Amino acid sequence: MIDAVIGLLDGLSAWQATLVVLALSLGGALIAEMVVIRGASRLVRRTDTQFDNIVVRNIRWPVVVSVGLVGIYVLTRTPAVVESTLITAEQLDTFFGRPSLVVIIVTWAWALNNLVTEAVEEVKERGSRFDFAPVFSNVWTLVVAVGTVAALLRLYNIDITPLLGAAGVAGIAVGFAAKDTVANFFGGIALYFDDTYKLGDYIVLDSGEAGTVVEVGIRSTTLMTRDEVLVTVPNSALNAAKIVNESAPQRRRRIRVPIGVAYGTDLDEFEELVVGIAEEESLVLDSPKPRMRFRRFGDSALEYELLCWVASPTRRARATHELNRTIYTALAARGIEIPYPKRDLTVTNVPGEADTPAGPSSPLGREESGEAVEGVPNETDGVPSETDGGHEHHR
């Protein structure tokens, strides 16, 4: 396109070419500002989304600056202008042509970076689901910075191939040295795209840790346990672990309260009593309604289970506590027994043995029963048991 414009200027004098190029550049900049940008601004105000407003707002100055400065670059390439100046074509390009392109590149880089940053802020306001979005803003800033530097070096004919090779070696070295950090970073990105959890969710890990997500960072995720202790877990470990999100897809959770009653209990009365207690408990949700389930015939009791719902996972323990207290008091007041294991032992005599119990197993008891005890004389025989000179006197 630039070559085509330069071809159209061929045959004009230096001052004519300069006037034509400046007129086109300034006129194009004014048209871009007054017609294109303002017209687009009026159109995007009618839409519900803010992203188009962000785009128009951030490309305004890059478009105007680019249209204005491209004329200066064209003049440095126009033969009539180059031949009429006191400096060489190379100097003209060095002081006017390339600086114009530098300003255009930097302006667009700045605009693109701001565009993504504002878009990320807009996304964050849509809920805690997108709290991890600033990570992408930081990555984009790094990409824009590297791309801008590479474009500027290329503009001045600086070979970036050795720099790319050195950057590759340095990247490998950094990757090995900071492999845990890199693993945590990409683990966090994977968790974000998988929508595993968000701020405020109550999660349980397969290692036993459980808590509310209070912070999601580039390297790790922080949990607040029920004991109000902060637990920091690396994102790489979370990415490899089994995570139970008890706050998704909805925050309400069902609790199960096991209850056992004695055989012979009026089941209709018992079920009605327990369901009524659950319905009156403030921590229990009205919908879905509480209900009782007869699970099995136990060894000592009829085993029931009360099923009801609470608003969040953190309320389960408190609701179970209140229900257990109230149910115990109500059953005791109604005279409904909560049984516990009992064992009846029956002692019988073995056929052929004496009915009288055996005497005590002490030496004195054995003397009274007429048994000989080692080291104790047997008075019934009248001869003590002893060893004399190696000859044993038998009793």
Side-chain angles (χ1 to χ4, degrees):
M1 180 178 177
I2 293 177
D3 293 337
V5 174
I6 294 174
L8 294 175
L9 297 176
D10 190 17
L12 298 177
S13 62
W15 65 271
Q16 290 175 337
T18 303
L19 288 177
V20 170
V21 171
L22 292 179
L24 291 175
S25 299
L26 295 178
L30 290 175
I31 293 174
E33 169 64 20
M34 303 298 293
V35 179
V36 179
I37 299 298
R38 293 191 179 184
S41 299
R42 285 192 294 268
L43 290 176
V44 297
R45 290 195 191 102
R46 303 174 184 176
T47 62
D48 297 331
T49 180
Q50 292 296 321
F51 293 106
D52 48 7
N53 295 326
I54 294 173
V55 172
V56 173
R57 183 168 60 250
N58 282 280
I59 68 172
R60 174 186 176 184
W61 283 111
V63 170
V64 174
V65 170
S66 298
V67 174
L69 292 180
V70 74
I72 298 177
Y73 182 77
V74 170
L75 287 176
T76 62
R77 294 290 189 274
T78 304
V81 175
V82 173
E83 293 173 358
S84 64
T85 57
L86 299 178
I87 60 177
T88 64
E90 184 179 354
Q91 291 174 334
L92 190 64
D93 183 62
T94 301
F95 292 106
F96 295 97
R98 292 180 182 177
S100 300
L101 296 181
V102 169
V103 174
I104 293 174
I105 293 173
V106 172
T107 303
W108 275 103
W110 171 79
L112 291 175
N113 184 62
N114 283 349
L115 190 153
V116 173
T117 301
E118 292 183 17
V120 167
E121 293 298 327
E122 177 66 22
V123 168
K124 282 182 60 180
E125 295 179 359
R126 298 193 172 189
S128 57
R129 160 72 177 84
F130 303 98
D131 287 326
F132 199 75
V135 175
F136 300 99
S137 177
N138 297 333
V139 174
W140 175 251
T141 301
L142 180 61
V143 171
V144 170
V146 173
T148 302
V149 172
L152 294 178
L153 293 176
R154 183 67 177 174
L155 179 63
Y156 282 91
N157 297 323
I158 298 176
D159 189 8
I160 63 174
T161 304
L163 296 178
L164 294 177
V169 175
I172 295 174
V174 171
F176 279 109
K179 60 180 180 179
D180 293 336
T181 302
V182 174
N184 290 329
F185 174 76
F186 286 103
I189 294 178
L191 292 171
Y192 173 78
F193 279 113
D194 291 342
D195 194 16
T196 306
Y197 54 80
K198 58 182 180 295
L199 287 181
D201 285 355
Y202 188 85
I203 63 174
V204 180
L205 309 182
D206 55 2
S207 57
E209 290 88 353
T212 303
V213 180
V214 296
E215 183 179 356
V216 179
I218 297 177
R219 190 191 66 84
S220 61
T221 296
T222 303
L223 308 179
M224 174 73 77
T225 67
R226 296 298 305 277
D227 297 327
E228 296 186 356
V229 177
L230 293 177
V231 178
T232 301
V233 185
N235 288 333
S236 59
L238 289 174
N239 193 40
K242 177 183 177 181
I243 302 176
V244 178
N245 189 346
E246 297 194 351
S247 298
Q250 53 191 0
R251 295 193 62 82
R252 71 180 187 184
R253 276 294 170 267
R254 187 166 69 173
I255 61 176
R256 302 171 180 267
V257 182
I259 312 169
V261 292
Y263 282 87
T265 301
D266 186 339
L267 299 185
D268 293 334
E269 177 187 2
F270 168 67
E271 292 178 4
E272 181 180 357
L273 174 63
V274 176
V275 171
I277 292 172
E279 292 175 344
E280 294 176 0
E281 174 56 48
S282 60
L283 294 175
V284 175
L285 298 178
D286 296 332
S287 178
K289 293 184 175 297
R291 58 184 182 271
M292 292 287 289
R293 289 293 180 265
F294 187 176
R295 294 306 186 193
R296 65 185 61 84
F297 294 93
D299 294 337
S300 305
L302 303 175
E303 298 181 8
Y304 267 85
E305 201 170 47
L306 169 64
L307 306 178
C308 54
W309 294 79
V310 293
S312 67
T314 56
R315 296 187 177 183
R316 289 187 301 185
R318 178 66 179 176
T320 303
H321 166 76
E322 296 294 340
L323 289 171
N324 283 335
R325 284 177 55 89
T326 308
I327 290 172
Y328 177 79
T329 304
L331 293 182
R334 291 287 188 93
I336 300 177
E337 180 186 359
I338 302 177
Y340 52 87
K342 300 177 182 179
R343 297 293 183 268
D344 293 332
L345 300 179
T346 303
V347 180
T348 58
N349 292 331
V350 179
E353 290 189 355
D355 292 339
T356 57
S361 59
S362 63
L364 181 59
R366 294 184 180 180
E367 291 178 28
E368 293 176 353
S369 62
E371 297 179 359
V373 181
E374 183 179 355
V376 179
N378 190 341
E379 296 180 355
T380 57
D381 294 340
V383 180
S385 174
E386 59 182 0
T387 303
D388 184 12
H391 299 281
E392 181 179 355
H393 297 275
H394 295 282
R395 293 171 294 185

